Amino acid sequence: MDIRQRLLAAFDLEHKDHLAAIRNALRDAEATGDAPDLVDIHRRAHSLKGAARAVDLPEVEAISHRLEAAFIAVQKGEIPLDAANVGVFRRALDAIEDLVAWSLQGGGEVETAGVLADLDALAAGGHGRSPAPAPAPASPVRTAGTRPPRQRERTVDADSAALVRIAAQGLERLSETASALLPEVEAQAGLGEQLRAMRQEWRALDRAWRHLRVQLGRGARLDTRPEDGADALDGRGALPALMAFERRFRALGGALDSAHRSHDRLLWSMRRWGGGFQQDMRRLRMLPAENQLSGLGRMVRDISRAEGKEVEVDVRGLEVEADRNVLQRLKDPILHIARNAISHGIETPAERLALGKRPAARVTIAASVEGARLHLRIEDDGRGLDRAAILRKAAERGLIDADELSSGEEMPLERLTEFLFHPGFSTASRTTELAGRGMGLPIARREVERLQGNLTIADRPEGGTAVTIEVPLSLLSQRLVFVAVQDQILAIPSADVVRLRNATAESLFSGVGTPMIRIGEEETPVTSLAALLGMEAPVVPTAERSLALVVVRAADRRLALAVDRFVATRETVVTAAEETGLDSGRYLGTVLMDDGGPALVLNISGLMPLPGSVLPPPARPAEEVTPARAHILVVDDSITTRTLEKSILEAHGYRVTLCVDGREALERLSEGMEVGLIISDVEMPRMDGFALLQAVKADKRLEEIPVILVTSRASDEDRERGLRLGADAYIVKTRFDQNELLAGIRRLL
């Protein structure tokens, strides 16, 4: 790499530092009214000019020179640092950012003539003369099509100066290996338990052998008589064999002890190095947000210009680090949200002036890290949410009735904003290239949910709208808190858990119709996690009256969830809800347990009830009669599918029995087990789903039981065969769709 390419790579970092410092100083001055450090601002503009000259960026040099002159004039008091002049400075900084991005990455045209003219007019108004001569731009308007070949080379080489290139596919494989290593290490712990059990058994055998040897020795001394002759000799002849057995027995014990010690050393070493390997891999995947999101300012400005609106973009916090894949996949949701803000929320310059606002709107994109979560907040200072328009559109689409429309001003904001995520829902009066189809926000939320995160919309107190995105820093693995609810194990991301606490039922007090508990200085509502998922609330024994509470948070709200017991905390890989057909509003996905079965990972933000909702009680009285629940028989040879279907069905109030194949199911039914419905796979050992279906429909006692076949066999022949044999529904699980399954169950029961 030659010196010029190295300089360009260094300038890419240097100019971002200077631009961020100047923008922050101007923003703080606007917010507080205090004068910024003009000496530092001037120094940075001067440094930008010199650095741009070194890497042969004449347009950047020209703008930096004029900025330097303008800041000197502000220092001398010749021109004021008012809102209008600050707007000129911001546009100049944006132009510098766009020019550097264009030089490194290409893209659309970058207009510099207007910015240069504004700076010249500013200086002329303050000095009464033109600024000192500065290098003229080679071309005021530049496009990707006219980009010199030399600059095309910069795109590749500038990147390689800062990063080592690694094939993404190879990096992903290495990441998967790292993720798979720790579960294998934990499996070694199970082997250690087996070794301990063997060692205990050996000790028991050793004690028994010692006792037996004493008995044998005593018997030989007492029973041996001279007249016994050959028999006595046989007894004495057995002693060498017994002694040889003892030697082998003790050698086995020694080998077992040695194996146990070696296993402990190996397990310790694997945990140490395996954990370090995973952490190194995690760090390798972690990049500053700037690496993927630094071009957002330019993109948003391009969108606003296309809409005929003036927008200043303030991007903050891009020094925080997150997984490369997470950052890449967040770019589209952020742009969808920005398009929505510009099209629906931000007014034209004329409208803003009429409202007493600055002509240029401001869009702020702020990144931060809280615990193991990346938070992105996209704010604008536009007109905010149009409640009346949203309610009218919701009524048109049948989402609310006339009564709710008339009392819509009292509707909680969380419910109102949910309408915006319905596909095709738009309040735009006309459809443009950027807006009006009602797909931007649904697409943004779906992608965020695929990242196991959540997206919310709220009003800004100062006016405008704020959209918050919260996702895990990495999808490689997450730390989870496992809890037991009835006979299920559920997982909660530890980032959503405030604390775990055991409390007595007497420590609860009644809020406004809701049980509460005081934790520190905060009063937190308490509810049953089981009831929140549609199951029965647990029964609290009168004698103990003890509750296990998981205090969780979503945004600024807290809730204490009553569970049966705490199980464990561990780090593991979460399979996204979309891959298993789970409701992403309730579940982030699944994780595999030690027995090979899945545990559901809860989406706390999606489960959190709306403000003002009536929460189910944390427990029910022991004497309360349990209502009858429909009994469903699930037949599948896959433990993962069986457990997943059982979890979903029980979460919706059904009682479930599992069978591993058709033969076991038929035996249970023949023994008199009563069920309301059968859900069966087709491909199973011993007896497949077709044979089970045929046997059920041929039995007079069972023929009325509805049967749903859930299978990956999607051919028309298989479907026709299943329906011809009497199946009440045939669901193809190209991906498991729980909504289709639940709809079929409700129809048949």
Side-chain angles (χ1 to χ4, degrees):
M1 184 180 300
D2 62 32
I3 186 62
R4 192 153 178 273
Q5 293 165 343
R6 290 180 182 273
L7 287 172
L8 187 62
F11 180 74
D12 185 35
L13 300 175
E14 181 184 0
H15 94 283
K16 290 175 182 176
D17 178 57
H18 290 318
L19 294 184
I22 296 172
R23 283 170 171 156
N24 289 338
L26 295 175
R27 182 175 61 245
D28 292 343
E30 274 191 318
T32 63
D34 297 332
D37 186 348
L38 291 168
V39 174
D40 182 65
I41 291 176
H42 165 250
R43 178 186 62 79
R44 289 183 178 276
H46 180 77
S47 298
L48 267 175
K49 181 177 72 174
R53 182 184 298 116
V55 294
D56 190 22
L57 292 178
E59 296 90 346
V60 176
E61 183 183 356
I63 296 174
S64 301
H65 175 80
R66 286 164 170 79
L67 270 176
E68 181 186 6
F71 288 136
I72 291 174
V74 174
Q75 276 183 275
K76 294 179 177 179
E78 296 172 352
I79 58 175
L81 191 64
D82 55 18
N85 290 344
V86 168
V88 173
F89 295 148
R90 283 204 174 95
R91 287 193 295 277
L93 298 173
D94 291 345
I96 291 173
E97 182 180 0
D98 292 349
L99 282 166
V100 177
W102 180 89
S103 179
L104 293 172
Q105 303 165 13
E109 64 181 22
V110 180
E111 191 274 334
T112 59
V115 171
L116 291 169
D118 287 345
L119 289 171
D120 287 343
L122 177 64
H127 294 285
R129 57 183 177 83
S130 299
S139 173
V141 179
R142 304 284 298 273
T143 65
T146 61
R147 187 178 182 184
R150 180 183 63 194
Q151 290 177 319
R152 266 195 289 269
E153 293 172 4
R154 292 175 183 167
T155 304
V156 174
D157 296 331
D159 181 57
S160 59
L163 300 172
V164 176
R165 291 191 163 192
I166 302 174
Q169 187 178 6
L171 181 60
E172 294 297 334
R173 284 199 302 268
L174 189 58
S175 299
E176 291 171 6
T177 302
S179 299
L181 178 61
L182 280 187
E184 291 300 320
V185 172
E186 293 305 320
Q188 293 291 318
L191 178 60
E193 291 300 322
Q194 295 179 20
L195 284 171
R196 289 186 184 90
M198 291 172 61
R199 193 177 186 186
Q200 291 174 356
E201 180 66 15
W202 179 86
R203 286 174 176 167
L205 287 172
D206 183 51
R207 289 192 297 270
W209 163 244
R210 291 177 186 275
H211 179 73
L212 179 61
R213 189 177 62 175
V214 170
Q215 296 299 319
L216 286 171
R218 185 179 300 158
R221 288 193 301 273
L222 294 176
D223 297 341
T224 303
R225 298 185 297 274
E227 57 269 24
D228 289 340
D231 292 338
L233 185 62
D234 289 342
R236 290 191 298 275
L239 287 176
L242 289 172
M243 294 180 68
F245 169 78
E246 182 179 10
R247 284 195 299 272
R248 293 179 62 186
F249 181 63
R250 294 197 176 281
L252 173 63
L256 189 58
D257 284 341
S258 176
H260 192 270
R261 288 192 296 271
S262 297
H263 172 267
D264 284 347
R265 286 196 301 271
L266 176 63
L267 181 61
W268 176 85
S269 181
M270 287 182 70
R271 278 180 170 154
R272 176 189 175 192
W273 295 110
F277 178 55
Q278 188 185 44
Q279 290 301 318
D280 288 345
M281 279 304 310
R282 188 190 298 274
R283 283 192 289 269
L284 182 61
R285 292 173 61 100
M286 301 289 275
L287 295 173
E290 184 179 30
N291 185 273
Q292 297 293 329
L293 306 182
S294 61
L296 285 174
R298 179 188 179 193
M299 295 176 190
V300 174
R301 287 192 291 274
D302 288 343
I303 294 169
S304 65
R305 281 194 289 267
E307 286 282 288
K309 297 178 181 179
E310 189 176 342
V311 173
E312 296 172 354
V313 187
D314 184 7
V315 184
R316 312 177 191 175
L318 294 190
E319 70 280 357
V320 302
E321 293 189 343
D323 188 288
R324 173 184 59 85
N325 188 37
V326 171
L327 293 171
Q328 279 181 338
R329 291 170 60 180
L330 281 174
K331 288 178 74 171
D332 280 348
I334 294 172
L335 285 177
H336 280 300
I337 293 164
R339 287 192 186 100
N340 195 73
I342 292 168
S343 300
H344 294 282
I346 292 176
E347 311 90 342
T348 64
E351 290 171 333
R352 292 180 63 86
L353 286 171
L355 293 169
K357 296 183 177 182
R358 298 169 59 250
R362 179 172 296 176
V363 172
T364 302
I365 303 172
S368 62
V369 172
E370 295 181 20
R373 299 258 178 178
L374 173 66
H375 291 253
L376 287 168
R377 188 173 175 88
I378 303 100
E379 297 184 354
D380 68 78
D381 62 352
R383 60 174 62 92
L385 296 170
D386 189 340
R387 278 180 168 264
I390 295 172
L391 290 168
R392 283 196 303 271
K393 191 67 176 181
E396 288 175 15
R397 299 193 56 178
L399 301 176
I400 59 174
D401 55 29
D403 292 339
E404 288 180 301
L405 178 60
S406 61
S407 61
E409 291 301 319
E410 302 172 4
M411 183 178 291
L413 181 63
E414 288 85 350
R415 188 182 174 205
L416 185 77
T417 55
E418 278 300 311
F419 297 140
L420 300 175
F421 297 107
H422 285 258
F425 190 102
S426 176
T427 58
S429 57
R430 61 188 178 89
T431 300
T432 67
E433 185 178 341
L434 293 180
R437 291 179 293 273
M439 297 305 297
L441 286 177
I443 291 171
R445 172 178 270 191
R446 186 161 62 251
E447 184 60 29
V448 169
E449 288 176 344
R450 286 173 181 166
L451 290 170
Q452 300 168 24
N454 54 76
L455 185 155
T456 57
I457 302 176
D459 286 317
R460 288 179 74 236
E462 309 88 347
T465 308
V467 180
T468 302
I469 295 174
E470 182 182 338
V471 294
L473 285 175
S474 172
L475 299 182
L476 192 60
S477 63
Q478 293 188 54
R479 181 158 292 278
L480 303 172
V481 177
F482 291 85
V483 297
V485 175
Q486 295 183 8
D487 58 349
Q488 295 185 52
I489 302 298
L490 300 171
I492 303 171
S494 64
D496 296 330
V497 177
V498 178
R499 67 174 62 187
L500 306 177
R501 174 170 176 172
N502 286 303
T504 61
E506 285 76 10
S507 65
L508 306 184
F509 61 93
S510 179
V512 183
T514 301
M516 307 283 286
I517 188 169
R518 187 178 298 279
I519 299 177
E521 298 298 319
E522 190 168 350
E523 296 177 355
T524 304
V526 183
T527 188
S528 162
L529 177 56
L532 210 56
L533 292 170
M535 310 177 198
E536 294 178 352
V539 176
V540 179
T542 305
E544 298 177 1
R545 306 289 295 174
S546 179
L547 292 171
L549 300 178
V550 184
V551 183
V552 296
R553 66 180 165 207
D556 57 349
R557 298 172 57 204
R558 292 192 178 194
L559 186 64
L561 302 174
V563 300
D564 293 347
R565 58 188 171 87
F566 310 128
V567 177
T569 300
R570 75 177 192 190
E571 192 157 316
T572 187
V573 179
V574 178
T575 301
E578 184 188 45
E579 298 183 25
T580 49
L582 289 169
D583 177 7
S584 57
R586 287 186 164 200
Y587 307 105
L588 294 178
T590 59
V591 294
L592 285 180
M593 303 295 289
D594 293 337
D595 61 2
L600 298 174
V601 183
L602 301 178
N603 180 357
I604 295 301
S605 296
L607 280 174
M608 191 76 73
L610 294 174
S613 301
V614 177
L615 297 175
R620 59 189 171 92
E623 63 274 10
E624 184 177 298
V625 178
T626 302
R629 297 185 296 163
H631 186 193
I632 297 177
L633 180 65
V634 173
V635 189
D636 201 301
D637 62 326
S638 165
I639 183 174
T640 300
T641 303
R642 287 199 309 271
T643 309
L644 182 60
E645 291 180 353
K646 181 176 187 288
S647 300
I648 293 169
L649 294 173
E650 288 185 337
H652 286 80
Y654 299 108
R655 189 161 54 95
V656 180
T657 298
L658 301 178
C659 290
V660 298
D661 58 28
R663 181 178 296 180
E664 182 187 359
L666 198 58
E667 289 171 355
R668 301 287 293 274
L669 292 168
S670 300
E671 292 168 358
M673 183 177 67
E674 296 183 359
V675 300
L677 182 139
I678 299 171
I679 299 173
S680 177
D681 188 17
V682 170
E683 297 184 45
M684 296 180 291
R686 299 202 301 174
M687 178 183 284
D688 66 14
F690 288 140
L692 171 63
L693 172 63
Q694 196 168 10
V696 167
K697 295 304 178 181
D699 191 321
K700 295 294 184 183
R701 296 178 301 107
L702 307 175
E703 63 180 352
E704 297 299 323
I705 300 175
V707 178
I708 298 177
L709 294 180
V710 181
T711 175
S712 57
R713 295 170 67 162
S715 69
D716 292 338
E717 293 81 4
D718 286 326
R719 180 186 296 273
E720 290 173 5
R721 181 185 176 191
L723 297 176
R724 188 174 61 252
L725 290 173
D728 296 271
Y730 191 99
I731 297 176
V732 178
K733 56 178 179 183
T734 49
R735 82 177 181 90
F736 184 75
D737 187 344
Q738 68 174 33
N739 294 324
E740 184 181 0
L741 176 64
L742 292 169
I745 293 171
R746 285 191 292 268
R747 177 173 55 83
L748 294 170
L749 285 178

